[in-house]
Amino acid sequence: MQSQIFHYPAKDAVIKLHQTGDQTISNRLVDEADSLQGSRERSNALDSGHRACQGCGEALGARHAIDTALDATDGELVVVNATGCLEVFSTPYPQSAWRLPWVHSLFGNAAAVASGVAQAMKMQGKENVRVIAQGGDGGTTDIGMGCLSGMFERNEDVLYICYNNEAYMNTGVQRSSQTPGGARTATTMPVGEHPGNNFGTGKSVPKIAMAHNIPYVATANIANPRDLEAKVRKAMSIRGARYIEVFVPCPLGWGTASSDTIKVARLAMNCGLTPLYEAEYGQITQVTKLANVQPVNDYLKIQRRFAHMFQPGNEHQLQSIQAIADANVRAFDLLSSSNEGEE
Amino acid sequence: MLKQIDGSYAVGEAVALCRPQVISCYPITPQTHIVESLGKLVKARKIENCSFMNMESEFGAMSACIGASSAGSRTYTATSSQGMLFMLEAVYNASGMGLPIVMTVGNRAIGSPINIWNDHSDAMSARDTGWIQLFVENNQQSIDVHIQAFKLAEATGLPVMVNMDGFILTHAYVRVDIPTQEQVDQFLPPFAPLQKLDPKAPITMGALVGPEAFTEVRMMAHSRMERALKLIPEQAEEFANIFGRDAGGLVKKHYEGQADTVLVTMGSVIGTAKEVINARREIGESIGAVTLRTYRPFPTAAFREAVAGAKRVVVLDKSFVPGVGGTVYQDVFTALNGTGIEVQSVIAGLGGRPITRKSIQALFDGCDSRKGFEVLDLNTDTMARELAREDAVLGAREECL
């Protein structure tokens, strides 16, 4: 199928019911043209009954991504999963929530295992069988970074999807390289002179992926599932190494209400902290623009992991995060409207 | 066909004859020539439909094997020493998942201090991984045992590690007989995986297993090991029928008749040992040697049978555990428990120190006076000097405390 980027809000969205405004996420009342999730025929790659927490952003992201990939490949799909929440909550023996061939090996090797699967399928003459590797930010950007970089530079025919919730949630919310400055985790407690995680640390793995000159890199956000679906569909239309990083809030780790997962994800996007873009062969080809930029405080204040920032004396932390958002807005030209409605 | 080639290239030729579909590679001395030779064979299309993957680490190399084997392809890699340690997490994972990967280990010491030469430390570090561990004694066996290894792995659903002494075998140019493709095809059928990743019949592999089933999974792995104990001698016999050579099997008794004192060891050192033993048997000494060709699963019954009638066995370990002693010694001691046979422990050949005829002579000469483990060819002057120096420093520190 031809890849399409759906605009946000959808151009011709017809609001049929209270629940199906442009804010609607992935229920079956949405227009089928808007999201695969609106279809009663959707594949249910990650079936109900799994053990994710209420409001889990990762479960939502995985379901949208893998359903789309299954649809795009006519079911000819193998998924390799890194150790982490997604693996644990979906496959407690003797149950499995996956309605496709799925393999879990270790925490840090999903990219290498997926490389092996892809090469094996090729050698067996089954090039129609496509491979996705997936994991959290710990399994992908920290312990799995070596294997991931190897997969990229060899240009293996694998789409790697990282569900980024900015810490090691499965082990109880410890800092990862994706944990933002100032955030409280179990290993960056809000005590002492510099409460929370240190500023000036961390890395952008989409940019590292781009530096490998691979065919496709994209960032996505679970608050914009149509965009996520479109990016997965586009990724599956391409051969070679591809990387999509999906921003997925974790109610437990972030200290947000289960019902606020989409809200908090949307605020992150709208304040400029998680710019959405696509890149091909190392060059950015598309950036999702923002109609206006919200202050980061709106995003931070509904999360307990940032609660200490709102105490007197920590205002500089709020300013530091606002500065990061402002820098993103400038760097990705998020407010420019020159190509609005095109692409 | 007879060829004069180095041990690594011989292994490459043997693996190629087994029609692997995915080979992952990461260089580490002394196994590197093996994957180099295979890379060349794949590029020259001497191996059909085979992917040769240059990986980013040994951890990645074993992980790629896990992926390829899960997808139903015959899979091979090779490593040594630090490489084994770097991939160890994935080594455990491969056996737990029941993936019939074959890996050559060009046996080498483990640092620190860094040392590239031969001993069995790497193999011993992987003895509890749930892999079948085979040891070869010469380069002809390294060819023959690799061919058996694929068949054994695929018949048991367990990965197989073929251990060959680094440099001593991997770098030795020896005349070997390379079997024909027809012979190998007759012995080794195409890979028919027990389970695989297939969109037509989706399965979940590598699920989380809790206390309610984990013990049973481990016991299943043990039953596969027991199946291997039965299959290994059968396959060695089948191999001998087709190829006309003795290779593989559980244990090998290297003498006829009776021996009061039996040397027990693994790998290439038996070559030197046999020379000494044969000479001393000729002048009437009741000595002999038995090699463990299969170390995991430990062939207790076959081993007991092989050393039956001996009064004493001397285990020659080519690895050493500080604070403990020899590793194979412990296995042998356990296996002979209740037989009344005395078990002695000797350590030699660490980090490539040559085990000479003189070493083996000393091993037998010291049998009547040995207490605890003995380290052959130890430079006692150096030890005395360094211990005195260390005692002075650490003793002074103790006094301060």
Side-chain angles (χ1 to χ4, degrees):
Chain A
M1 187 190 271
Q2 193 64 36
S3 128
Q4 274 181 294
I5 304 290
F6 293 105
H7 294 275
Y8 173 79
K11 260 185 191 165
D12 305 311
V14 180
I15 299 173
K16 290 184 284 196
L17 288 163
H18 174 67
Q19 296 99 315
T20 59
D22 58 6
Q23 310 279 298
T24 302
I25 304 301
S26 68
N27 76 28
R28 295 193 179 184
L29 298 173
V30 298
D31 196 313
E32 277 188 46
D34 246 15
S35 167
L36 189 70
Q37 298 297 321
S39 167
R40 288 177 184 280
E41 307 302 318
R42 77 168 154 86
S43 47
N44 272 334
L46 178 63
D47 214 346
S48 60
H50 61 69
R51 300 177 182 186
C53 305
Q54 276 195 343
C56 174
E58 188 176 33
L60 203 57
R63 197 185 86 203
H64 281 78
I66 306 302
D67 270 353
T68 307
L70 258 183
D71 188 59
T73 58
D74 287 328
E76 299 289 336
L77 186 67
V78 172
V79 170
V80 179
N81 215 125
T83 308
C85 282
L86 180 58
E87 168 261 328
V88 169
F89 74 63
S90 66
T91 60
Y93 177 84
Q95 300 162 341
S96 174
W98 297 100
R99 288 178 173 271
L100 44 72
W102 180 97
V103 60
H104 157 251
S105 172
L106 296 168
F107 196 11
N109 71 353
V113 173
S115 302
V117 174
Q119 291 292 337
M121 290 299 179
K122 194 174 162 190
M123 290 304 125
Q124 292 172 26
K126 297 182 199 159
E127 293 197 59
N128 57 323
V129 178
R130 309 299 300 280
V131 185
I132 286 182
Q134 58 181 1
D137 48 297
T140 305
T141 72
D142 288 351
I143 199 170
M145 194 67 197
C147 290
L148 185 69
S149 177
M151 184 204 108
F152 287 160
E153 66 83 14
R154 294 190 306 272
N155 199 23
E156 301 282 359
D157 188 18
V158 175
L159 166 61
Y160 196 108
I161 303 177
C162 170
Y163 305 104
N164 184 355
N165 55 21
E166 302 190 329
Y168 289 86
M169 301 315 185
N170 192 43
T171 45
V173 200
Q174 294 81 24
R175 178 199 183 273
S176 81
S177 66
Q178 301 306 307
T179 301
R184 176 201 72 184
T185 68
T187 51
T188 57
M189 291 304 274
V191 293
E193 209 176 331
H194 302 286
N197 189 31
N198 288 339
F199 282 89
T201 59
K203 60 187 172 188
S204 163
V205 176
K207 285 184 186 164
I208 294 172
M210 285 164 61
H212 290 75
N213 276 326
I214 57 175
Y216 187 70
V217 175
T219 59
N221 185 316
I222 195 53
N224 195 346
R226 300 164 185 84
D227 178 65
L228 168 61
E229 287 180 350
K231 284 168 176 166
V232 171
R233 203 174 284 283
K234 181 164 182 176
M236 295 318 289
S237 74
I238 299 167
R239 292 278 174 174
R242 292 141 288 147
Y243 182 70
I244 298 180
E245 192 171 290
V246 190
F247 187 76
V248 290
C250 170
L252 184 79
W254 294 10
T256 52
S258 296
S259 54
D260 279 350
T261 297
I262 302 305
K263 181 178 169 187
V264 73
R266 183 178 297 118
L267 285 167
M269 187 165 65
N270 288 351
C271 70
L273 281 173
T274 61
L276 299 187
Y277 56 92
E278 292 176 289
E280 293 174 32
Y281 296 101
Q283 301 299 318
I284 290 184
T285 53
Q286 187 269 341
V287 177
T288 302
K289 306 292 183 181
L290 297 174
N292 51 53
V293 178
Q294 282 180 264
V296 293
N297 285 15
D298 294 356
Y299 165 66
L300 301 175
K301 72 187 173 198
I302 58 170
Q303 303 180 51
R304 277 203 304 282
R305 64 174 173 157
F306 295 115
H308 56 278
M309 291 187 178
F310 292 90
Q311 283 164 11
N314 290 336
E315 296 81 1
H316 64 285
Q317 290 199 319
L318 292 174
Q319 287 157 13
S320 298
I321 295 189
Q322 186 62 59
I324 293 166
D326 293 346
N328 279 343
V329 171
R330 283 194 303 276
F332 290 94
D333 204 11
L334 292 178
L335 276 175
S336 151
S337 55
S338 61
N339 60 347
E340 198 176 32
E342 288 164 28
E343 281 128 39
Chain B
M1 184 178 52
L2 291 177
K3 266 189 179 178
Q4 180 97 9
I5 49 176
D6 93 353
S8 300
Y9 274 72
V11 170
E13 298 247 2
V15 170
L17 289 168
C18 296
R19 303 183 186 276
Q21 291 158 303
V22 176
I23 297 167
S24 71
C25 143
Y26 191 81
I28 183 166
T29 304
Q31 68 73 27
T32 313
H33 292 177
I34 299 174
V35 286
E36 279 176 11
S37 72
L38 283 164
K40 206 158 128 190
L41 290 168
V42 171
K43 272 215 131 180
R45 294 188 181 273
K46 295 274 172 59
I47 314 175
E48 288 165 23
N49 298 321
C50 181
S51 168
F52 184 80
M53 302 175 71
N54 279 288
M55 299 304 293
E56 70 285 341
S57 70
E58 286 92 354
F59 178 64
M62 180 48 62
S63 299
C65 287
I66 289 169
S69 191
S70 304
S73 286
R74 185 172 285 165
T75 308
Y76 173 84
T77 191
T79 195
S80 294
S81 183
Q82 314 298 133
M84 170 77 87
L85 297 192
F86 202 71
M87 65 162 64
L88 199 57
E89 188 191 14
V91 172
Y92 272 89
N93 191 254
S95 67
M97 291 180 70
L99 300 172
I101 298 161
V102 172
M103 174 163 72
T104 310
V105 184
N107 296 119
R108 166 184 153 182
I110 285 173
S112 169
I114 187 168
N115 174 300
I116 63 165
W117 293 276
N118 166 249
D119 71 25
H120 288 172
S121 302
D122 49 10
M124 294 301 113
S125 76
R127 68 181 180 153
D128 301 336
T129 53
W131 282 56
I132 292 171
Q133 286 185 306
L134 309 176
F135 279 80
V136 302
E137 293 152 12
N138 55 49
N139 284 3
Q140 186 62 56
Q141 280 184 29
S142 73
I143 293 175
D144 298 345
V145 169
H146 275 91
I147 296 165
Q148 295 183 36
F150 282 100
K151 186 166 174 136
L152 179 63
E154 289 161 20
T156 54
L158 284 175
V160 176
M161 208 178 277
V162 180
N163 290 280
M164 64 190 292
D165 284 315
F167 293 109
I168 298 170
L169 296 182
T170 57
H171 287 53
Y173 279 76
V174 180
R175 195 178 64 168
V176 287
D177 185 4
I178 310 278
T180 64
Q181 187 67 62
E182 291 70 32
Q183 283 176 310
V184 176
D185 287 347
Q186 189 193 341
F187 179 77
L188 179 66
F191 181 29
L194 300 170
Q195 53 176 15
K196 64 173 178 177
L197 298 165
D198 179 4
K200 301 276 181 295
I203 53 165
T204 288
M205 295 174 76
L208 175 77
V209 175
E212 67 286 349
F214 190 81
T215 308
E216 286 71 21
V217 173
R218 298 299 288 157
M219 292 307 112
M220 292 294 287
H222 183 65
S223 80
R224 288 178 171 192
M225 280 291 194
E226 301 215 304
R227 189 185 296 269
L229 281 179
K230 191 169 80 57
L231 282 176
I232 290 167
E234 285 174 14
Q235 291 189 351
E237 200 183 319
E238 192 192 340
F239 185 89
N241 289 338
I242 295 174
F243 299 82
R245 274 193 301 274
D246 158 58
L250 295 170
V251 297
K252 176 71 179 175
K253 187 176 170 184
H254 294 273
Y255 60 98
E256 298 290 329
Q258 167 67 21
D260 289 342
T261 299
V262 175
L263 165 68
V264 178
T265 192
M266 303 194 296
S268 63
V269 69
I270 189 62
T272 311
K274 264 197 291 192
E275 281 186 35
V276 174
I277 289 165
N278 291 345
R280 288 174 74 145
R281 276 179 78 86
E282 268 179 37
I283 56 167
E285 279 192 53
S286 184
I287 59 174
V290 167
T291 45
L292 294 161
R293 287 184 172 178
T294 301
Y295 178 57
R296 287 289 183 269
F298 195 86
T300 303
F303 177 68
R304 278 190 179 212
E305 200 185 316
V307 299
K311 295 191 172 68
R312 169 165 65 197
V313 302
V314 185
V315 183
L316 172 57
D317 261 293
K318 287 180 77 173
S319 68
F320 177 69
V321 186
V324 178
T327 307
V328 182
Y329 162 72
Q330 297 174 45
D331 289 293
V332 169
F333 190 85
T334 307
L336 294 183
N337 188 22
T339 58
I341 300 174
E342 182 196 350
V343 187
Q344 294 192 356
S345 176
V346 164
I347 315 289
L350 301 184
R353 181 163 296 180
I355 302 178
T356 60
R357 271 178 288 192
K358 215 170 131 195
S359 317
I360 302 291
Q361 301 281 16
L363 181 146
F364 284 111
D365 291 343
C367 279
D368 291 332
S369 58
R370 188 170 291 126
K371 289 195 175 60
F373 64 79
E374 182 190 354
V375 182
L376 296 181
D377 306 316
L378 182 69
N379 189 335
T380 48
D381 292 348
T382 308
M383 286 302 297
R385 186 190 70 216
E386 292 302 315
L387 282 174
R389 192 176 288 175
E390 192 155 292
D391 280 348
V393 175
L394 294 180
R397 195 169 292 174
E398 267 172 46
E399 275 169 31
C400 292
L401 296 169

